[in-house]
Amino acid sequence: MNKIKNVVNEELIFDILEKYKNPSKDTVINILNKGLKKKGLSIEEVGILLNTEDISLIQKMFQTSKQIKKEIYGERIVFFAPLYLSNYCINDCEYCGFHIRNSEKRKKLSLKEVEEQVKILIGMGHKRLLLEFGEHPEINNINYVIDVIKTVYNTKLNNNKIRRVNVNIAATSIENYKKLKCANIGTYQLFQETYHKKTYEYLHKGPKSDYERQLFAHDRAIKAGIDDVGLGVLYGLYNYKFDTLALVSHSKYLEKKYGIGPHTISVPRFQPAPTVDLKLNYTINEFQLLKIISIIRIAIPYTGMIITTREKPELRAKAFEIGVSQTSAASVTSPGGYGKEKMLQQFFLQDNRNVDEVMNSILQQNLIPSFCTACYRTNRTGKTIMKLLKSGKIHELCRPNAILTFKEYLEDYASTKVKKLGIKVINKYLKKIFNKKIKNETLHRLKRIENSERDLYF
Ligand code: SAM
Ligand code: SF4
C-alpha cells in the first residue's frame, strides 16, 4: 500500500480538494502567473485550479495554457493513427466493447492483413501508428506483437512507410517490455483508466483488475529501457478532479524517480460502445474537458498531450488551441477496419472526417500538421528531448521538420484545396525559422521533396 501511496496518495488528494475549495481570484491569478514561467505547478496548486469554477477565471486559465502551448509547441499538431490488431481479450472492463462477455465474433489480423491495413494507412498520409491489442496471453502473445511491429516497419507503399510505431498493450513484465524496446517502439502507452482504487477494482475483472500491475507498468517499461511512456485517464469513470490530480501526481512520481516524466498524457472521455451498458455517475461535459486540458498544460508544460477522434471536430479545435499537441485522424476502432466494413468496434467515434478534411481544418486554424518522427529516430527521447524542450531550442528542429513532413503530405496525398492552403501556411512559418543556415537548408530540402525525395529531417 505504501508503494502505491508514493504514486497516488488518495487521502492527500481528497484532503487537497477539500481544503482548497472556492479559491479566491487572487490565488488563482497568482498560480496562473506562476504557470507562465513554464516550471509546472505543485499538487496543491493543481488542486486549486481544479476547484476553480468561476467562468471568467477559467477563461483566464485557457489564455494561460494557450500561451504556454504556443511557446513550447508552437503551431504544430502531430498526427498519428491507431491500428487495432486483435480484439480478443480475457478482461471484463465494464466500459469497453471488447470485454470478454461480448459474444460477437472476434478478429485477429494475420501478418498479411497487417500489411494490407498498413498500406491503407500509408496511403492516407500517416507516418506514425499506435498499435492496439486486447489482452490475451495466448492469442495476442508478445511474439505476435513483435511480429506485427516488424511487419509494420517493413511495409512500403511507393516511396513511403511508417516511421514510428507506438504501442498500447496490457501491462506486462520487464522481459516483455525489453522485447518491445528491441523491436524499436516509440512510446509505450497505457492508461490507468481511473486512479481511484476501489472504483478501478469495481470496473475491472480479469488480470487487468490488478491495480498495482497497471499502476507500476510504466516503471517496468522504463526499467526495460523504454524512455517514452504515455499516461492517461478514461474520464467518466470517476471524479475528474481526483483523477486529474492523481494523473499529475503519477507524472511527478515518474519524473522524480527516473528523471523523465511521461512523454504524453491522453485525456479520453468514455464513449458509447457495443454491448456496454454502463451507468456513469461522473460524466464530464466539454467545458470540463477543456478545463482539464488547460490545467494539465499549465501543470506539466513539457509533456505532449493527446486528444483523439473520440471527440467532435469543434471540441478538438479548441483543445488544439489551449493545450493539445498530438492527435489522430480518420481512425477506426476495429481490427481490419480501415477500408473495410467495420467489425466489432471498441467504441464509437465522434469525428468521422477523412484526413484531408482534418488537415483543412487545422490549416484554417493557422496551425501546421506535422508527421514528424525525427526525434525518436535521432535518439532525441527521454531526458534528451526534455532538455531540448526546456531550452526552447526544439523549435529550430521541430518547425522545419513539421514543414518538411507536411510538404510530403501535400505532394503525395492532398486535395488541390488543401495543397493551396497548405503552401500558404508553410510560407508563413518558413518566415519564422530565424536560423539562416537551417532556413536555407529547409528551402533546399523542400525542393528535394518536390523532386520526389522523401524522409528528410533535422
Ligand atoms: N487492452 C489494452 C488496455 O486495456 O490497456 C489496450 C488498450 S485499449 C485498446 C485502449 C484504451 O481505450 C483503454 O485504455 C481505454 O481507456 C480506452 N477505452 C476503452 N473503452 C472505451 C470507451 N468506451 N470509450 C472511450 N475509450 C475507451
Ligand atoms: Fe480488453 Fe483493453 Fe478493452 Fe479492457 S480496455 S476489455 S483490457 S481491450
Side-chain angles (χ1 to χ4, degrees):
M1 194 64 185
N2 274 341
K3 198 175 147 203
I4 294 177
K5 268 195 175 168
N6 290 334
V7 189
V8 189
N9 186 336
E10 287 197 4
E11 243 174 64
L12 178 70
I13 291 176
F14 282 124
D15 281 353
I16 289 174
L17 290 173
E18 189 54 39
K19 186 171 167 193
Y20 297 106
K21 273 191 176 156
N22 305 315
S24 72
K25 185 174 173 186
D26 282 353
T27 311
V28 175
I29 299 281
N30 282 341
I31 294 173
L32 296 182
N33 286 337
K34 178 181 170 193
L36 283 175
K37 295 194 178 118
K38 294 178 290 189
K39 296 226 161 15
L41 301 178
S42 69
I43 296 288
E44 287 77 11
E45 288 161 339
V46 177
I48 291 170
L49 293 189
L50 284 163
N51 271 338
T52 303
E53 305 294 350
D54 179 325
I55 304 283
S56 64
L57 283 176
I58 297 177
Q59 294 295 353
K60 281 211 164 45
M61 219 182 262
F62 291 170
Q63 283 163 16
T64 306
S65 59
K66 186 176 175 176
Q67 189 170 331
I68 294 172
K69 156 126 205 249
K70 203 167 165 207
E71 284 174 22
I72 298 177
Y73 297 92
E75 63 287 353
R76 302 171 291 281
I77 300 289
V78 173
F79 276 87
F80 73 94
L83 174 60
Y84 281 71
L85 282 310
S86 165
N87 54 23
Y88 284 91
C89 191
I90 53 167
N91 286 307
D92 186 356
C93 308
E94 291 281 344
Y95 45 82
C96 175
F98 297 164
H99 63 78
I100 193 168
R101 288 169 292 115
N102 190 340
S103 56
E104 265 188 63
K105 202 164 170 275
R106 305 275 166 159
K107 170 91 183 154
K108 169 187 168 180
L109 299 189
S110 66
L111 295 181
K112 178 99 189 43
E113 288 170 315
V114 173
E115 195 183 320
E116 282 165 16
Q117 289 285 290
V118 172
K119 281 189 176 164
I120 293 173
L121 284 158
I122 298 173
M124 289 159 76
H126 286 295
K127 299 285 186 282
R128 39 167 101 194
L129 298 186
L130 172 63
L131 306 185
E132 305 269 11
F133 302 78
E135 177 168 7
H136 200 300
E138 284 140 40
I139 298 178
N140 309 334
N141 62 33
I142 193 73
N143 295 332
Y144 172 64
V145 176
I146 302 300
D147 286 344
V148 166
I149 297 170
K150 284 186 187 154
T151 306
V152 175
Y153 278 131
N154 288 334
T155 300
K156 284 201 179 108
L157 182 71
N158 306 324
N159 212 0
N160 283 313
K161 60 203 279 274
I162 297 299
R163 298 170 186 163
R164 174 172 176 136
V165 175
N166 299 332
V167 176
N168 187 345
I169 58 164
T172 184
S173 61
I174 294 190
E175 204 179 42
N176 284 346
Y177 287 128
K178 279 188 182 157
K179 290 183 184 166
L180 290 182
K181 169 78 186 162
C182 283
N184 242 333
I185 66 158
T187 308
Y188 171 65
Q189 180 184 288
L190 185 76
F191 304 155
Q192 184 62 29
E193 321 294 7
T194 173
Y195 285 89
H196 189 248
K197 192 162 180 285
K198 228 169 136 186
T199 307
Y200 182 92
E201 284 164 357
Y202 170 74
L203 290 169
H204 298 95
K205 288 186 198 74
K208 190 170 166 181
S209 65
D210 182 342
Y211 180 90
E212 278 197 39
R213 186 191 80 155
Q214 194 85 352
L215 190 66
F216 291 100
H218 308 86
D219 290 68
R220 295 193 293 281
I222 293 170
K223 282 176 190 156
I226 299 174
D227 56 4
D228 282 351
V229 296
L231 307 181
V233 157
L234 182 56
Y235 283 101
L237 303 184
Y238 191 63
N239 179 291
Y240 82 88
K241 295 183 183 179
F242 176 92
D243 266 332
T244 307
L245 213 43
L247 181 68
V248 172
S249 182
H250 190 179
S251 167
K252 283 182 177 292
Y253 157 85
L254 291 177
E255 174 139 30
K256 191 166 161 208
K257 185 152 183 192
Y258 303 103
I260 26 166
H263 185 66
T264 54
I265 286 182
S266 299
V267 290
R269 278 197 302 175
F270 170 82
Q271 302 298 327
T275 75
V276 169
D277 183 20
L278 183 60
K279 301 274 172 294
L280 292 174
N281 295 322
Y282 297 99
T283 43
I284 55 165
N285 61 33
E286 293 191 351
F287 192 70
Q288 286 166 325
L289 180 60
L290 290 172
K291 179 178 155 188
I292 293 166
I293 289 169
S294 177
I295 292 173
I296 293 175
R297 177 49 62 238
I298 302 169
I300 321 173
Y302 294 99
T303 291
M305 209 184 326
I306 300 178
I307 198 163
T308 67
T309 53
R310 287 176 181 89
E311 301 296 343
K312 287 191 199 125
E314 303 75 29
L315 177 71
R316 280 154 56 84
K318 285 184 197 145
F320 298 149
E321 268 190 20
I322 63 161
V324 162
S325 55
Q326 289 193 25
T327 195
S328 48
S331 311
V332 302
T333 65
S334 53
Y338 288 105
K340 296 227 173 87
E341 203 184 313
K342 295 179 183 60
M343 310 258 302
L344 174 56
Q345 294 179 66
Q346 193 190 19
F347 49 84
F348 303 117
L349 299 169
Q350 298 200 45
D351 182 347
N352 294 304
R353 294 171 298 171
N354 64 31
V355 177
D356 209 59
E357 287 166 327
V358 177
M359 294 301 122
N360 186 46
S361 79
I362 296 278
L363 294 169
Q364 297 286 355
Q365 280 189 270
N366 255 317
L367 298 169
I368 191 158
S370 173
F371 293 90
C372 181
T373 54
C375 277
Y376 128 91
R377 294 158 81 211
T378 49
N379 290 327
R380 295 195 294 259
T381 59
K383 285 182 193 166
T384 318
I385 181 73
M386 282 301 155
K387 235 189 194 163
L388 267 168
L389 275 163
K390 287 180 182 172
S391 72
K393 287 215 167 86
I394 199 79
H395 290 300
E396 285 182 12
L397 301 167
C398 292
R399 185 167 280 141
N401 282 336
I403 288 174
L404 293 174
T405 54
F406 185 51
K407 174 73 172 172
E408 291 182 339
Y409 176 85
L410 294 182
E411 289 294 308
D412 293 339
Y413 309 106
S415 63
T416 320
K417 182 173 146 194
V418 166
K419 197 163 179 182
K420 212 168 138 196
L421 184 56
I423 289 169
K424 227 168 109 183
V425 176
I426 284 183
N427 285 336
K428 174 178 165 161
Y429 289 113
L430 274 172
K431 290 197 189 103
K432 294 199 173 182
I433 302 178
F434 301 112
N435 179 320
K436 256 200 176 145
K437 208 170 143 206
I438 293 183
K439 184 168 180 169
N440 286 338
E441 185 55 30
T442 307
L443 289 168
H444 179 58
R445 289 183 186 189
L446 282 170
K447 281 271 167 279
R448 286 169 63 190
I449 290 171
E450 280 172 17
N451 290 327
S452 301
E453 269 190 73
R454 292 291 172 270
D455 209 8
L456 307 172
Y457 55 89
F458 290 93

